[in-house]
Amino acid sequence: MEKTAIFAGGCFWCMVKPFDEQPGIKQVVSGYTGGHVANPTYEQVCSHTTGHTEAVEIHYDPAIVSYADLVEIYWRQTDPTDAMGQFQDRGDSYRPVIFVQNEEERQIATASKQKLAESGRFSDPIVTQIEDAKPFYPAEDYHQNFYRKNPLRYQMEEMGGREKFIQDQWK
């Protein structure tokens, strides 16, 4: 039985590969969620008028990878102390959010966030939000599997601070 999880951590291009490479992941879809416009376009989301956040919807096999495992992978792709975006991507459409679909996911995400806060890994507060999932709209086809389709552009995006942050904070 396949399940889904939704995470926002800045540019959705940069959030696909870390999940896509894990056992038990069936598909990672780039898209938009949390806004008030149905089926928004990339241009609309970039205008910061729809309320959407760039996110990834992860389709996974819970017999192979758990939701708790996915949350742990998520933390290691983001700066959980930056509420105003991620790395070079600034604004609400890039804010870090764990979108939960039920009470079990909320409990797992909340406990994981608390554990991270208490770990002392970060001196600043953990500001990643945990919010109820809203409708998820897949992004245009050219955004899907971007790291595979446009490896050079993807590498340039990663050099915007994410890769160095992950090396400094998580390795």
Side-chain angles (χ1 to χ4, degrees), residues 9-158:
C11 173
F12 50 31
W13 293 344
C14 299
M15 292 295 293
V16 174
K17 186 178 179 185
F19 290 100
D20 205 28
E21 296 177 330
Q22 300 298 317
I25 303 298
K26 304 291 188 188
Q27 181 184 23
V28 183
V29 179
S30 295
Y32 319 108
T33 192
H36 51 53
V37 173
N39 296 305
T41 65
Y42 182 65
E43 289 72 25
Q44 287 175 308
V45 174
C46 287
S47 74
H48 303 285
T49 59
T50 67
H52 288 90
T53 301
E54 286 192 14
V56 289
E57 181 180 67
I58 299 158
H59 298 250
Y60 69 100
D61 180 345
I64 298 172
V65 62
S66 71
Y67 183 77
D69 292 335
L70 297 177
V71 172
E72 291 305 312
I73 295 165
Y74 168 77
W75 290 126
R76 286 166 173 72
Q77 311 315 312
T78 67
D79 177 354
T81 68
D82 186 353
M84 298 312 299
Q86 292 289 285
F87 313 104
Q88 77 273 24
D89 300 310
R90 310 313 300 160
D92 277 353
S93 61
Y94 299 113
R95 66 195 181 93
V97 184
I98 297 173
F99 289 98
V100 296
Q101 300 172 88
N102 55 50
E103 190 54 36
E104 180 186 10
E105 286 184 1
R106 180 176 298 285
Q107 289 174 2
I108 291 167
T110 301
S112 180
K113 181 178 176 179
Q114 183 67 31
K115 181 180 170 192
L116 181 59
E118 292 171 354
S119 74
R121 180 177 291 274
F122 297 96
S123 54
D124 291 331
I126 305 302
V127 295
T128 299
Q129 296 298 303
I130 298 170
E131 299 179 6
D132 290 337
K134 306 258 185 339
F136 180 90
Y137 302 100
E140 295 81 353
D141 189 56
Y142 69 93
H143 291 298
Q144 305 303 330
N145 295 303
F146 191 85
Y147 78 97
R148 289 187 184 152
K149 293 177 185 174
N150 297 284
L152 192 58
R153 176 77 190 277
Y154 170 77
Q155 188 177 14
M156 288 170 46
E157 287 295 317
E158 282 289 276

